Amino acid sequence: PSAEISTTMAFYRGAVAWLGGLMTLAQAVYILGPYQVGGTPNANLRLVQHARTETDPRFGLTIRSVLGPYALLTGICALLLTFARVPAPDALIVAMSMLSTNGFMPHTSGASVLNNTVAELIMMVFMIVGATSIVWHRMLMERKWTLAREQSEGMLFITLAMALIAVTALGSFFVPTSQFAAGRQAFTFAFDAISIFTTTGITHDRSVGIGLPFELVLLIAFVGGCSYSTAGGIKVFRIGTMLQHLGNELNRLVYPNALLRDDVQYSEHPRQIAKAVWSAFFLAMLTLTIGILLFALQGAELPYAMALASGSFSQVGNIVNGGLAAFPAGEVPDTALLTIAALSAVARIEILVVLAAFASLKS
């Protein structure tokens, strides 16, 4: 339990997660974006990636460009939490977890994460910040307001987050509990929903649970955050691209000769992007299916197997923790832990990168 971890060990765990988030961003900037892995957009990537030639990537300069907004936002989050009367060591650890969308917390207590509603509100804001694109953050730092407004993925993600807050807060009034007053329950539901949506994975009192239908939890965790962010999931840009492609195909049934926006029939680039996005989506579904089967073979019932596979794929700790209830307390098989680690690693470095690496080894 986190309550038994010393401050030094808590800082170490938070720092490792924070550095993992930095490496995730570096991978996105150097591999996923330039090669458009899974349809990853590469517009305005020059704001963070620096290279004179393909053989001179200037890794250090690029890392500094990524590290700048990442460290600055972490510091701002820690400072605001300190102003909200969170102890300074805890504030720094929590800030690192928020920007790396990692669910580690120095402690939890009862029906509150930090016993501080203002601090939890700050956490919600920076969970959303951590799940948005580092390229977008760079635009805002350099005051490129026009480019920032044109960054549709970030705007779509924030819009979805606000809609999710509104829906879950409203829905909380139809799920009465004796744990909270009505206002506090609405806030708790909204906090937990954003925690899952950004794949941060911090939940209030476990006896209360996430407060959302199980199917909805798995869905919003699967969607995840934005490209060039530390969040897990399939990513919002892929969902947007698939919906647009689906809409075009439906319109084609009605208007077979129409010229549609980003039409894959008449333009090579949209066709390649749509192919890459759908490939990534179906490979993600295949990975989840294999994960569910593996957990089921190890004795987990279907709902628990789904929670373990989905939580591992999207790196959402509280969903994984809920799935571990399938096994007797303290008797989680080593094979189950290895399966969780393998699914998390494959999803974090993108399944298409893994397949490309195996293909290159064979050739």
Side-chain angles (χ1 to χ4, degrees), residues 39-318:
T40 302
N42 59 7
N44 302 306
L45 191 56
R46 64 186 184 279
L47 292 173
V48 291
Q49 189 192 61
H50 300 273
R52 286 192 289 266
T53 66
E54 291 183 359
T55 58
D56 181 19
R58 305 182 73 179
F59 184 76
L61 187 57
T62 297
I63 285 294
R64 287 197 295 272
S65 295
V66 172
L67 180 61
Y70 188 55
L72 177 63
L73 290 167
T74 303
I76 292 172
C77 181
L79 187 62
L80 291 175
L81 288 171
T82 303
F83 288 156
R85 300 181 183 277
V86 176
D90 288 351
L92 181 57
I93 295 167
V94 171
M96 289 191 292
S97 292
M98 295 304 96
L99 270 297
S100 61
T101 58
N102 179 268
F104 176 71
M105 292 289 294
H107 62 83
T108 57
S109 176
S112 177
V113 174
L114 289 173
N115 287 328
N116 188 324
T117 301
V118 175
E120 291 179 29
L121 184 60
I122 294 170
M123 289 170 64
M124 286 178 66
V125 171
F126 281 92
M127 280 190 276
I128 294 173
V129 170
T132 51
S133 170
I134 196 72
V135 179
W136 196 32
H137 301 165
R138 196 77 199 182
M139 292 175 189
L140 297 175
M141 284 184 64
E142 298 181 5
R143 304 181 196 179
K144 298 182 183 295
W145 311 121
T146 302
L147 290 177
R149 286 194 298 270
E150 293 173 353
Q151 216 271 357
S152 58
E153 183 189 21
M155 299 305 297
L156 174 60
F157 179 79
I158 291 177
T159 301
L160 290 174
M162 295 302 103
L164 184 62
I165 288 174
V167 170
T168 53
L170 181 62
S172 69
F173 294 101
F174 298 94
V175 187
T177 70
S178 59
Q179 296 278 342
F180 306 115
R184 178 64 199 183
Q185 178 166 299
F187 179 81
T188 298
F189 273 48
F191 181 99
D192 292 348
I194 291 300
S195 174
I196 297 295
F197 187 49
T198 59
T199 71
T200 305
I202 300 170
T203 309
H204 285 74
D205 190 351
R206 291 176 183 171
S207 65
V208 179
I210 296 171
L212 298 173
F214 178 68
E215 296 79 3
L216 179 59
V217 168
L218 297 186
L219 176 62
I220 61 178
F222 179 72
V223 172
C226 299
S227 58
Y228 304 104
S229 75
T230 58
I234 192 67
K235 300 293 190 297
V236 170
F237 78 89
R238 292 195 178 107
I239 301 300
T241 300
M242 289 189 293
L243 290 176
Q244 183 177 349
H245 182 209
L246 180 61
N248 278 353
E249 294 304 306
L250 291 175
N251 281 331
R252 193 186 309 285
L253 294 175
V254 181
Y255 308 105
N257 298 318
L259 293 176
L260 305 171
R261 181 172 174 265
D262 293 331
D263 197 333
V264 300
Q265 182 174 349
Y266 301 107
S267 179
E268 179 64 23
H269 182 66
R271 184 184 303 120
Q272 292 176 346
I273 295 298
K275 181 179 179 181
V277 166
W278 282 105
S279 297
F281 173 76
F282 284 115
L283 282 171
M285 296 302 296
L286 178 61
T287 303
L288 280 173
T289 302
I290 292 173
I292 291 171
L293 290 174
L294 289 175
F295 288 119
L297 288 172
Q298 295 171 65
E301 297 179 4
L302 181 59
Y304 294 111
M306 292 175 64
L308 287 167
S310 179
S312 301
F313 178 83
S314 299
Q315 293 99 52
V316 186
N318 51 3

Side-chain angles (χ1 to χ4, degrees), residues 20-35 37 49 59 63 66 228-229 345-350 353:
L22 179 61
M23 293 301 101
T24 298
L25 297 175
Q27 174 199 241
V29 168
Y30 263 108
I31 300 175
L32 304 184
Y35 297 100
V37 175
Q49 189 192 61
F59 184 76
I63 285 294
V66 172
Y228 304 104
S229 75
V346 166
R348 177 58 73 181
I349 61 178
E350 291 273 355
V353 175

